[in-house]
Amino acid sequence: MTAIEIRNLSKAFGPVRAVDDVSFSVESGTVTGYLGPNGAGKTTTLRCLLGLVTADSGTALVDGRPYTALERPLAEVGAVLEATSFHPGRTARDHLRVICTAAGLPVSRADEALEQVGLADSAGKRVAGFSLGMRQRLALGTATLGHPRVLILDEPANGLDPAGIEWLRGFLRSLAHEQGVAVLVSSHVLSEVQQTVDNVVIIARGRLVHQGSLAELTGNGDRPVRVHAADAARLAPVLEAKGARVEQPQPGVLRVHGVGAETVGQAVLDEGVLVTELVRERSDLQEIFMELTREK
Ligand SMILES: Nc1ncnc2c1ncn2[C@@H]1O[C@H](COP(=O)(O)OP(=O)(O)O)[C@@H](O)[C@H]1O
Ligand SMILES: [Mg+2]
């Protein structure tokens, strides 16, 4: 089921086309990464989706409606935008209880949510003393208080340490895959969300540059086969004769482009060369990301 649908969305701030004709959708039960460098237009898109900014044209819908038309927005959509502020003097538990009351949720949800985001031990502490990572967790607890079917998170990994990022990954994947929540999560750091997301939408300078699965992203392009062999130099002309382009980045190592691993293996067998490693290189996602989003 399509939970979030962005269609031909555009928003300019004066001469800056922050979001320029962007279209994508997010299905229930999946985590979608909304990726792009700083200034790409991610936050503006999410603010349009949440009715905080009025788009110049196009639509941004949650469950087929604009956010502002939802009857019980807190129970339908959870969101954490950048620079979330909390009343510093309140404890984490009180912060959530206030929201429960305002949203018509049982106050017992406050402690459940704190447990779910790993803040149970800090429930009675004042938010003023929270680290950035703890604030991110509290923001996530706030966003999920009403068991929303749609979760929108803007750079939630900011300020989390590696253990926190690992925890976030599990949290988001279980919400999506076990509870069917549609999760849209933005980041300017691909590696932070690489293992979290099912799909990616990449934006640069306000324009969509890629949409699809991560596998599709890495599957594109020529992935060279790397061969380690003391006698590697002997293989090079044989492979070139088979149409390969061969680099020798260091003695005893070849990077073979344009032919499959099977062709390389056959050449190894024919030449009787002792090989200590033969592997198809994995494309470097970060490199692809940089290439796609590079200033032109
Ligand atoms: N309220 C605003 N007024 C003027 N320019 C803005 C405003 N919000 C965002 N921008 C500009 O729009 C572009 C996209 O910003 P933003 O959506 O915050 O990108 P991201 O979240 O991907 O870093 C940037 O050039 C930014 O400076
Ligand atoms: Mg942003």
Side-chain angles (χ1 to χ4, degrees):
M1 198 185 86
T2 301
I4 295 174
E5 178 152 37
I6 311 272
R7 194 176 294 163
N8 302 115
L9 191 75
S10 295
K11 174 70 185 178
F13 296 104
V16 179
R17 299 167 96 170
V19 177
D20 193 359
D21 198 25
V22 164
S23 302
F24 67 90
S25 57
V26 180
E27 303 293 311
S28 298
T30 66
V31 183
T32 296
Y34 193 35
L35 308 174
N38 284 324
K42 304 180 297 295
T43 298
T44 304
T45 307
L46 302 184
R47 289 174 68 86
C48 288
L49 188 54
L50 294 168
L52 298 168
V53 161
T54 310
D56 297 333
S57 57
T59 49
L61 305 177
V62 180
D63 288 333
R65 281 165 300 166
Y67 182 84
T68 47
L70 298 177
E71 277 149 35
R72 299 181 58 226
L74 275 188
E76 295 179 62
V77 182
V80 182
L81 290 187
E82 283 176 309
T84 310
S85 62
F86 299 104
H87 189 303
R90 266 189 203 140
T91 66
R93 179 185 284 122
D94 284 346
H95 168 77
L96 293 187
R97 284 185 172 170
V98 166
I99 295 171
C100 286
T101 306
L105 300 165
V107 289
S108 58
R109 261 304 285 153
D111 280 319
E112 273 174 36
L114 288 169
E115 177 79 43
Q116 280 159 0
V117 298
L119 285 178
D121 291 344
S122 307
K125 292 193 186 132
R126 285 178 203 280
V127 176
F130 275 23
S131 67
L132 185 53
M134 288 166 84
R135 281 166 201 258
Q136 289 283 30
R137 287 176 187 251
L138 182 57
L140 275 169
T142 308
T144 50
L145 264 185
H147 292 301
R149 309 305 302 154
V150 174
L151 191 58
I152 297 165
L153 307 173
D154 198 11
E155 308 263 3
N158 275 357
L160 293 182
D161 55 16
I165 289 176
E166 183 68 39
W167 165 81
L168 180 66
R169 176 177 303 150
F171 183 70
L172 298 184
R173 290 184 72 84
S174 101
L175 282 176
H177 299 165
E178 285 156 36
Q179 297 175 45
V181 175
V183 181
L184 177 61
V185 49
S186 85
S187 179
H188 67 289
V189 186
L190 175 64
S191 59
E192 280 175 356
V193 295
Q194 190 173 328
Q195 288 164 277
T196 310
V197 301
D198 303 302
N199 298 302
V200 288
V201 175
I202 301 180
I203 181 178
R205 297 168 305 279
R207 312 244 356 162
L208 205 91
V209 293
H210 175 85
Q211 170 167 212
S213 68
L214 269 183
E216 275 163 13
L217 198 58
T218 46
N220 293 338
D222 167 30
R223 288 185 293 149
V225 177
R226 198 175 67 239
V227 186
H228 288 238
D231 213 1
R234 212 169 87 213
L235 280 176
V238 179
L239 288 164
E240 277 160 357
K242 291 177 189 279
R245 186 169 65 76
V246 182
E247 293 173 88
Q248 187 160 2
Q250 62 198 72
V253 179
L254 296 183
R255 289 180 84 221
V256 186
H257 302 260
V259 296
E262 203 179 308
T263 304
V264 179
Q266 189 64 51
V268 166
L269 189 65
D270 292 347
E271 292 302 303
V273 169
L274 177 68
V275 161
T276 51
E277 190 175 338
L278 191 159
V279 65
R280 188 186 262 284
E281 285 184 5
R282 293 202 315 163
S283 24
D284 184 347
L285 261 183
Q286 183 63 24
E287 243 169 55
I288 297 171
F289 180 62
M290 299 297 284
E291 181 61 30
L292 278 174
T293 59
R294 199 173 51 194
E295 293 285 337
K296 295 216 175 70

